Amino acid sequence: MKSHYPEVYAQWRQDPVAFWQAAGEKIDWIRPATHVFNAEAGAYGRWFDGALCNTCENCVDRHVEAGNGERLALIHDSPVTGQVRRYTYDELLIEVGALASVMQDYGVAKGDRVVIYMPMVAEAVIAMLACARIGAIHSVVFGGFAAPELATRTEDAKAKYIISASCGIEPGRIVEYKPLLDEAIELSAHQPDGCLILQREQLRCELIPGRDGDYAELIGAAKAAGRISECVPVAATDPLYILYTSGTTGQPKGVVRDNGGHMVALRWAMENHYGVQPGEVFWAASDVGWVVGHSFICYGPLLNGSTTVLYEGKPVGTPDAGAYWRVIQDHKVAALFAAPTAFRAIKKVDPQGRLISEYNLDAFRTLFLAGERSDPATIEWAQEKLQRPVVDHWWQTETGWPMSGNPVGLGLLPVKPGSPGVPMPGYDVQVLDDDGHPVARGELGNIVCKLPLPPSGFPTLWNAEERFHSAYLREFPGYYATADAGIIDEDGYVFIMARTDDIINVAGHRLSTGAMEEVMGKHPDIAESAVVGLADALKGQIPIGFYVTNDGVNRDPCELQAELILGVREAIGPVAAFKTVIEVARLPKTRSGKVLRGTMQKIGDGADWKLPAAIDDPESLTEITEALVREGILIRE
């Protein structure tokens, strides 16, 4: 099939306002916009200014009203509890309407902030939709975040209400949420009016009288009474949610997402980027605490009238490296969106992909990767084993949907392993040097997007307008600074090589750590790798590599390390000064799978560092420290 991408992108370039006006016709508006784009509003303009709408109505009610209430809306698949729950659009409306009614009983109204501190359960999505239904602004905090981090977010948002659960469940352990919630409320200078607690049978908790309500009891009573609150009209430019960045350094940034532009962009992306139709099953194997969970577990599939999968499990260990294939088979998943690190974990345990053949994947069409740079080795492995298109794409919390990709719905373009595709309509992606001048095609530089951002782009940070300007708009006037570094090739494909912080300067040469990781990842014995630049008195910085081998590899470490060093020298040249690689049992990561390169660099430099709030396992950083000490790079005090 010939791709229609070139003409669609050209249509957007020729008339962006007309392009998004047409896309907006897929959304039900209570009142249409007076300005599809108002260039005078906000920092760079606002989309669908003057319109009234409701996101929950577009996600749930309209499908019921169209006669599709019996269509499956949400599947909660939980291998850690051995349960699968399914909700039709009819059933989802009842659950969401009841919860919205209960929140209104507690005085939650349009514009109030509600913190959602939940595990990967259906009630988390229901809570997001219930907030949208009554015009409340939700702020989802990753379940299990430490109490101080939850307190910071509760205080910054001035949350009126908190929805939480008694516990989260990880393979082999139960994480108590209630003590963390109670401590966070105690630490916060702002006190919520009330909390609603979902009691999970694996671990129940004590409720505080007068503050904590029992989710099952209150929602059960509301459903028994047939209570379904009405959808509250909100301005398209009103906030739908606040999503705080992980806050590994300093105060976390509260990214604001609006209602109208968000719906238009996600609806367009589901059909045109992901190629998923109403009634088909889409699975984003992420967490509701991250932007992927907001955009493509909750809102995108439901806006599209599709079925979404909420997965409470891991790519390996629940119970094995065939977990993803089991979910695809059981629920007839058409498209899967996952982080590259998940597939590196699967490849490490099952490098030959033998478990794939045990499952029926006939319904499965496309694998999408995003969240971290997708190394070519992982993409090529997945392509070979799955015999299906593997599509990398790139976007950020701040944008809410893909900035570049390979739009399956418009017809697949040639896949270039290592590239997250071409810019999507709405994004004029450019590469600038540090002085703001365009660089030649194929030359490394700062990835930026010409303003205005398209619908769903964040209009500001919550209560931090000055920080919004200084962090994103000031460095390159007229552009949004992505803080990513990379190139655009002669064919217009974007290559994200590293965060700008990960571009290292070796004896005056700007080098990409991502390019070095790419070379290491091609070695057949390597499961995953990371390269960081450590301070060096002579060269300014030198690269240090860390690697994890595939299961079953039994090589002489010195021999393997020599091969990796030679590979980088041959691919990049002696200028890289790549002389040290260290084997580790695992790489430290956030719970969404991002490797904590910045923290690893600070450890190696002997600098002060803070334990990242989103870290999956703090012990992994201890292991990195020990490895650096063994190599003589870090001197134990």
Side-chain angles (χ1 to χ4, degrees), residues 114-120 124 128 138-155 157 159 161-165 177 180-181 184 242-246 252 287-290 294 591 613-614:
V114 176
V115 164
I116 301 171
Y117 182 63
M118 298 280 275
M120 286 291 285
M128 295 165 75
H138 65 69
S139 183
V140 180
V141 179
F142 196 101
F145 252 16
E149 300 295 337
L150 177 57
T152 298
R153 289 153 173 79
T154 301
E155 188 172 309
Y161 199 58
I162 297 177
I163 303 175
S164 188
Y177 282 15
L180 297 171
L181 173 62
I242 307 164
L243 181 55
Y244 287 93
T245 57
S246 56
D287 190 284
V288 290
W290 307 120
H294 285 58
R591 292 169 71 172

Side-chain angles (χ1 to χ4, degrees), residues 75-98:
I75 301 169
H76 175 226
D77 188 302
S78 174
V80 295
T81 63
Q83 295 178 326
V84 175
R85 292 187 291 165
R86 294 176 173 87
Y87 299 82
T88 64
Y89 277 96
D90 279 333
E91 291 165 338
L92 188 60
L93 176 58
I94 291 169
E95 296 289 338
V96 170

